[in-house]
Amino acid sequence: MGYAQIIATVLAAAITVVAVYLAVKAVMTITAVIRQGQPDPARFADPKTRTKTMLVETVGHTRMLKWSAIGAAHWFVMVSFVILSSLVLEAYFEVVDPNLGLPIIGHWVVFGLVTEWIGILGTIGILYLVFVRQRQKPGAVKRSRFLGSTMWQAYFVEAIIVGVLVFGFLIRGFKVATDHFEYPLWATPLSHAIGSVLPAWEDGATWMALIKILISMSWLITISLNPTMGVAWHRFLAFFNIYFKRSPEKPAGSGLGALKPMMSEGKPLDFEEADPEKDLFGVNQVEQFTWKGLLDFSTCTECGRCQSQCPAWNTAKPLSPKLLVLSLRDHAYAKAPYLLAGGGKDLMGEEKATEAQLAHMDVLALAEGNRPLIGTAEDQGVIDPDVLWSCTTCGACVEQCPVDIEHIDHIVDMRRYQVLIESSFPSEAGVMLRNLENKGNPWGAPQNTREDWTKGLDFEVPRVGEVEEFEYLFWVGCAGAFEDRAKKTTRAVATLLNEAGVSYAILGEGETCTGDPARRIGNEFIFQMLAQQNVETLNEAFEGQKSKKIVATCPHCFNTLGNEYEQLGLKVEVVHHTQLLAHLVATGKLTPVQPVDGGVTYHDPCYLGRHNRVFDAPRELLGNAIQGDVVEMPRNQERSFCCGAGGARMWMEERIGKRINVERTEEALATGAKTIAVGCPFCYTMIGDGVTGKGKQEEVEVVDVATVLLRSLKQDA
């Protein structure tokens, strides 16, 4: 062991001790912050499915590969980080003696072959990711997904990866040059090529190994001093975040479909017994999120995929799902010393800490603890109200997030407190909430007009109670019963079901709003009131029936009935009308005979497509009806662009930026199709208004998929 090896060994040991010490402290800090969150015991259920999902999403990179080239490059970088960590360990042997390697596996040719090619492909992968970041960085494109990301951290991580890979090959190169390399040319061609141009420097491998260790430990020290450095920490936290996702059985985002019920102390809130002085009504302090919420914030990679797909962000609204998560993360970690020292506010807003405790607290942490979670810049709020109310709950952020962050749950939890406790929400939405509470529908229409859409039909619409048996309960919905455009869809569906001989019945005046707009604006109380009423009505309607099937024309009703009423004990099979109609065409009960001219494009409703993965049925139906292919918009299926009506935005004014429905309408008009087909009454209204606003109503028609099918059956439909 020469002087070079002694010096290198001492330096490697010294920096490693420092790095490991700081890393342990950082892990303890992150753990302590996450533990400040509320309990969420359901996250530990079904460990088998959770483990399988975690392995599929991480090893298989299924969510990253939604963006194929970037996903593939990231996979090689991830694998190189995992596998080539063994070569960092090997470097500790090489600083002692350049002839040494990893015990047992270090001399296997297969190990040399795998690490060689993983190193090559990992280098190509990280260089491609560097190229992408430069091409899409703020200033290079109009609305960069990286805007708001901590760019120095990303550049630092990328540089570290390049450095580790380069010096790994230099170590091997010097071993080749000094004839100490154990792997043949065919297994390690790049290492041999590098070695052929390097001098036969006996200490070269030792010094290169030391530099590799210094680079690696510098990375560990840096991230340890920055526990909010998500671009680095996600390498470790992503495994846990994916494992603990809300619905591990779902192939797409765990936070899609049903909303999480209001929780307090890890249990669903019972409004009959709830006490605002003892129970949480939504979230008003960052520590009132569950521990999984705090893990979500800690895991954010700052990649901006959520931001790039967000309809609010893309139309110049202040909401960016990424920046919202980063704001909550930074606030949680800045506030943590105050909380860990005994500080915090109780549910009545009173300080928990004693004067003695407050006197010894960190001043900056104390100031952070006094910031309102929701508030304007003048109020020093963490999240601006305009950010909170810009969300359409379309699910694009959740669907795109590679580490399964549940943005919508967190946004709605904050809305719940603002609505239920603060009574602070856009004023125009108050009319909708009062109508729901008093009239059972957001339009405030009289209940005795729910069946008016049946007038003028040349057949009798069967009603529950008037027929002994029915296969499907036709859930008309508020829009389908009261909104003029949506009533056309309701009549078309009823006509098609009648012609196909489907046994169905409606509730008529017994139906009331499912509560979707109330729940998504944050008024869980009204949702529970409406939902319990509907569950009771549906249980009575299905009593004695052989099947419990519902067909709905509104994706919001479809989602609420099928996914959220289970939380109240109702289990029924719910299909969207496009699914049922596609089945009727496929089985020959409906036969399109007259193609629709002029081309048809289809707009995927968020709550039908992204939230519930119904993409094929509407397209199959349209394809049969027009006897041709649907003209797709650039953003379609899981990447479909929202119409702007979800999240109760249908009843709120859009005062900031470009109107979301206009953005989507322009995309539809650009296809050149003369018919824009929709599968949702909200989309019908929003896209229809967009076409009218563009002055194209005489050239382009917006209709429901059911109407397109009906026209293909009858010339005069």
Side-chain angles (χ1 to χ4, degrees):
M1 192 176 185
Y3 288 115
Q5 285 72 40
I6 293 172
I7 294 170
T9 300
V10 171
L11 291 175
I15 195 170
T16 301
V17 168
V18 173
V20 170
Y21 170 75
L22 292 174
V24 170
K25 281 190 66 177
V27 169
M28 292 174 66
T29 297
I30 293 171
T31 304
V33 170
I34 292 171
R35 286 172 61 89
Q36 291 300 303
Q38 299 298 307
D40 197 352
R43 303 287 181 168
F44 297 91
D46 198 0
K48 184 177 179 181
T49 301
R50 292 183 179 280
T51 302
K52 179 183 176 182
T53 299
M54 184 268 288
L55 292 173
V56 167
E57 288 194 19
T58 53
V59 179
H61 246 45
T62 51
R63 297 178 67 77
M64 283 296 299
L65 287 170
K66 290 177 185 289
W67 294 16
S68 53
I70 294 174
H74 190 276
W75 187 85
F76 284 114
V77 172
M78 180 197 74
V79 172
S80 68
F81 174 79
V82 174
I83 293 180
L84 300 187
S85 293
S86 61
L87 297 187
V88 175
L89 178 60
E90 186 176 52
Y92 284 93
F93 291 91
E94 290 163 337
V95 295
V96 176
D97 185 341
N99 295 322
L100 293 177
L102 278 178
I104 303 175
I105 63 172
H107 297 281
W108 291 357
V109 174
V110 172
F111 177 73
L113 173 70
V114 170
T115 51
E116 178 85 358
W117 284 101
I118 289 297
I120 293 170
L121 295 171
T123 302
I124 295 171
I126 190 60
L127 291 176
Y128 176 72
L129 295 180
V130 170
F131 166 74
V132 168
R133 185 177 294 275
Q134 291 305 304
R135 189 178 61 180
Q136 298 180 1
K137 67 182 180 180
V141 293
K142 186 177 179 181
R143 292 191 72 76
S144 170
R145 66 187 175 97
F146 295 117
L147 186 66
S149 297
T150 316
M151 297 300 282
W152 78 262
Q153 295 180 353
Y155 292 143
F156 173 77
V157 169
E158 289 165 348
I160 288 292
I161 294 171
V162 171
V164 168
L165 290 167
V166 167
F167 278 92
F169 281 112
L170 286 175
I171 294 170
R172 289 186 163 189
F174 275 111
K175 283 189 170 185
V176 170
T178 55
D179 201 27
H180 296 316
F181 198 49
E182 55 267 70
Y183 306 122
L185 173 63
W186 65 266
T188 52
L190 182 58
S191 296
H192 279 271
I194 293 172
S196 67
V197 298
L198 290 177
W201 182 22
E202 287 292 336
D203 293 334
T206 292
W207 292 118
M208 295 306 104
L210 174 62
I211 295 173
K212 184 175 181 177
I213 291 170
L214 292 175
I215 292 173
S216 300
M217 293 304 107
S218 296
W219 173 79
L220 188 56
I221 289 171
T222 302
I223 73 168
S224 298
L225 295 174
N226 294 276
T228 60
M229 195 171 175
V231 71
W233 281 105
H234 82 272
R235 296 183 178 198
F236 310 106
L237 297 178
F239 297 97
F240 299 99
N241 211 52
I242 295 169
Y243 179 88
F244 288 116
K245 66 193 291 188
R246 175 151 63 89
S247 304
E249 72 283 358
K250 286 188 177 181
S254 153
L256 295 174
L259 270 179
K260 186 180 67 173
M262 275 184 69
M263 308 290 286
S264 183
E265 295 298 324
K267 299 176 182 178
L269 193 67
D270 183 347
F271 278 96
E272 293 184 1
E273 299 179 359
D275 181 353
E277 296 186 13
K278 299 177 182 178
D279 297 304
L280 291 176
F281 278 64
V283 169
N284 187 45
Q285 301 287 336
V286 72
E287 65 271 19
Q288 291 173 356
F289 288 105
T290 67
W291 62 263
K292 175 57 170 63
L294 296 175
L295 178 59
D296 270 359
F297 309 151
S298 303
T299 308
C300 180
T301 71
E302 304 190 24
C303 67
R305 289 189 178 208
C306 59
Q307 183 170 289
S308 71
Q309 303 295 300
C310 176
W313 175 256
N314 277 283
T315 53
K317 310 289 189 295
L319 168 64
S320 156
K322 177 187 72 177
L323 298 180
L324 179 139
V325 166
L326 297 187
S327 296
L328 292 170
R329 178 198 69 188
D330 293 344
H331 173 59
Y333 280 82
K335 187 178 180 180
Y338 162 67
L339 295 173
L340 294 170
K345 304 290 192 299
D346 63 20
L347 295 180
M348 300 306 294
E350 299 297 324
E351 176 61 57
K352 295 178 183 178
T354 63
E355 289 187 13
Q357 287 176 309
L358 291 172
H360 293 88
M361 280 184 188
D362 179 87
V363 175
L364 294 178
L366 184 60
E368 195 72 28
N370 288 318
R371 291 180 67 191
L373 189 66
I374 307 298
T376 62
E378 291 77 13
D379 298 328
Q380 296 186 322
V382 179
I383 304 297
D384 191 278
D386 284 334
V387 169
L388 189 66
W389 298 110
S390 291
C391 179
T392 67
T393 68
C394 71
C397 52
V398 177
E399 196 273 338
Q400 282 294 324
C401 182
V403 294
D404 281 302
I405 293 172
E406 296 157 5
H407 311 74
I408 295 176
D409 283 344
H410 306 320
I411 288 171
V412 172
D413 269 342
M414 290 186 284
R415 285 183 172 187
R416 284 165 168 166
Y417 186 89
Q418 294 301 303
V419 172
L420 294 171
I421 302 299
E422 298 288 345
S423 295
S424 176
F425 53 89
S427 58
E428 60 271 19
V431 176
M432 177 268 290
L433 291 172
R434 285 193 295 273
N435 286 336
L436 286 176
E437 192 167 10
N438 299 323
K439 299 288 188 177
N441 69 85
W443 282 275
Q447 185 71 356
N448 60 11
T449 62
R450 267 196 183 268
E451 298 180 38
D452 283 2
W453 64 271
T454 64
K455 295 176 181 178
L457 293 174
D458 56 7
F459 58 90
E460 188 69 25
V461 175
R463 291 159 177 78
V464 172
E466 296 178 4
V467 292
E468 289 188 8
E469 287 190 18
F470 54 86
E471 184 179 4
Y472 289 95
L473 188 150
F474 180 14
W475 186 273
V476 176
C478 299
F482 302 121
E483 206 278 325
D484 288 340
R485 279 176 282 202
K487 281 196 273 190
K488 296 177 183 178
T489 302
T490 308
R491 291 165 64 89
V493 171
T495 302
L496 290 164
L497 295 180
N498 183 68
E499 292 198 11
V502 175
S503 172
Y504 74 97
I506 65 169
L507 286 169
E509 293 182 26
E511 186 179 297
T512 191
C513 180
T514 60
D516 164 85
R519 185 168 231 198
R520 274 151 186 80
I521 202 173
N523 197 319
E524 185 75 4
F525 178 80
I526 291 180
F527 167 76
Q528 292 287 339
M529 178 185 74
L530 294 168
Q532 288 169 8
Q533 180 180 336
N534 281 323
V535 167
E536 185 177 334
T537 300
L538 288 168
N539 281 329
E540 290 177 4
F542 284 121
E543 191 173 348
Q545 298 296 321
K546 294 179 181 178
S547 64
K548 293 184 177 181
K549 297 179 183 178
I550 296 176
V551 57
T553 57
C554 175
H556 296 265
C557 297
F558 167 73
N559 178 69
T560 304
L561 292 166
N563 294 326
E564 300 190 335
Y565 279 15
E566 276 194 33
Q567 297 168 1
L568 283 80
L570 179 72
K571 291 189 178 181
V572 291
E573 180 185 347
V574 185
V575 297
H576 190 249
H577 71 284
T578 57
Q579 293 175 298
L580 178 55
L581 295 177
H583 171 72
L584 295 175
V585 171
T587 55
K589 293 182 179 179
L590 293 172
T591 306
V593 293
Q594 299 180 31
V596 177
D597 297 327
V600 175
T601 189
Y602 174 66
H603 163 76
D604 288 277
C606 300
Y607 273 84
L608 181 65
R610 211 165 12 242
H611 278 277
N612 286 285
R613 321 311 289 175
V614 179
F615 301 119
D616 296 335
R619 288 174 169 79
E620 291 170 3
L621 195 57
L622 288 170
N624 284 318
I626 66 177
Q627 297 181 27
D629 294 328
V630 174
V631 182
E632 293 285 7
M633 288 181 253
R635 292 177 287 199
N636 61 77
Q637 299 196 53
E638 68 264 18
R639 290 202 196 180
S640 178
F641 197 77
C642 181
C643 75
R649 289 292 323 173
M650 181 83 171
W651 291 274
M652 291 184 255
E653 291 296 328
E654 196 170 341
R655 298 186 176 90
I656 304 173
K658 184 179 182 180
R659 293 185 68 87
I660 294 172
N661 68 315
V662 172
E663 172 86 2
R664 185 55 166 172
T665 300
E666 289 174 350
E667 189 172 3
L669 293 173
T671 65
K674 297 302 179 185
T675 300
I676 302 173
V678 297
C680 170
F682 291 0
C683 299
Y684 201 157
T685 297
M686 301 300 278
I687 304 297
D689 288 350
V691 169
T692 302
K694 286 290 178 180
K696 298 291 185 180
Q697 66 272 22
E698 300 300 325
E699 304 167 36
V700 177
E701 186 180 19
V702 181
V703 292
D704 189 87
V705 173
T707 301
V708 177
L709 176 62
L710 187 58
R711 288 177 180 176
S712 74
L713 301 179
K714 293 181 177 181
Q715 183 64 40
D716 59 350

